Amino acid sequence: TPYADANWEDATACHTHALQDHDCRSISNPTAATTKDLWGGWHDAGDYNKYVNFLYETMIDLLLAYEEKPTAWADNYGIPESGNGVPDLLDETKYELDWLLRMQQTDGGVLCVVGVQNYASASPPSADNAQRFYGPATTSATYTAAAIFALAAKQYNSVGNTAYANTLQTAAVNAWTWANANPNITYYNSGVVASGEQEVGGYETQARKLSAAIFLYALTNGN
């Protein structure tokens, strides 16, 4: 309240318990040495898992919607960021982009998923205290992130948020470089972590690579 209907409000932030998003650990080696702070972003569904590859259509659609008709998107939709001089659509996509940046590793690769084992869940989200894990960086997730970062950088440049746009451009280039150097890294999470299978096939991976190339070319003028 007042930003959510009574049916959807929650008293506190979700997934801040021990061994959750602020202390998320590798599913293949869940020790303290692998901990990462992967808070934020959108839940995929009622199960609260978060998938990089599932973002592709949603984020590309939102960012292209802004690019194609920027005047349609106001700064007064009644979200906490309303009135800050940035269209609320871009405020919302930034919340997801910030999480996606946390999923990127220093070498440019992007982790593919954050989730739980055995379909653990609870309602409301703040009551869910199941341990959360992340999956490894993969080629498809990294191309997905490269495409999203590059398209987003163009939009944030257009509203004068050049520092953030530069961060996104660097992330896009680093992701592109890593994915090209690691073209066949896959991870199938079904039965291991999270619920939906996030890995995509070879054709879809190449389609995301093509999108990343197009958006990077448009962003950098081919440089």
Side-chain angles (χ1 to χ4, degrees), residues 6-201:
N7 290 316
W8 309 112
E9 66 186 52
D10 201 351
T12 59
C14 66
H15 303 113
T16 59
H17 302 289
L19 298 176
Q20 292 197 312
D21 287 5
H22 289 296
D23 185 11
C24 197
R25 301 187 179 186
S26 168
I27 188 63
S28 62
N29 182 26
T31 64
T34 67
T35 187
K36 296 184 183 295
D37 191 356
L38 301 176
W39 69 276
W42 303 329
H43 299 149
D44 178 66
D47 55 25
Y48 314 139
N49 299 309
K50 300 185 288 190
Y51 307 84
V52 171
N53 276 330
F54 291 0
L55 295 182
Y56 181 73
E57 289 85 357
T58 304
M59 288 291 285
I60 296 298
D61 284 354
L62 289 172
L63 292 165
L64 285 177
Y66 180 77
E67 179 174 275
E68 291 175 9
K69 190 70 172 177
T71 56
W73 305 101
D75 186 25
N76 60 357
Y77 283 86
I79 63 174
E81 298 86 356
S82 292
N84 67 352
V86 176
D88 285 347
L89 178 67
L90 295 185
D91 285 321
E92 186 61 39
T93 55
K94 184 178 184 298
Y95 189 73
E96 187 72 344
L97 286 163
D98 287 346
W99 173 75
L100 195 56
L101 287 168
R102 294 183 199 107
M103 294 288 281
Q104 186 171 42
Q105 307 306 284
T106 56
D107 62 2
V110 178
L111 304 174
C112 60
V113 63
V114 168
V116 296
Q117 292 183 296
N118 303 316
Y119 309 102
S121 188
S123 185
S126 63
D128 177 26
N129 60 8
Q131 183 172 359
R132 291 164 69 79
F133 306 88
Y134 61 84
T138 65
T139 305
S140 59
T142 305
Y143 277 133
T144 292
I148 293 170
F149 286 146
L151 180 58
K154 192 165 181 278
Q155 310 320 314
Y156 289 92
N157 263 324
S158 75
V159 296
N161 197 337
T162 54
Y164 191 60
N166 288 339
T167 295
L168 294 171
Q169 180 170 330
T170 298
V173 171
N174 290 343
W176 172 262
T177 301
W178 186 93
N180 282 340
N182 298 273
N184 298 302
I185 297 181
T186 58
Y187 178 70
Y188 295 91
N189 62 287
S190 293
V192 182
V193 63
S195 53
E197 178 52 65
Q198 58 76 41
E199 189 55 81
V200 301

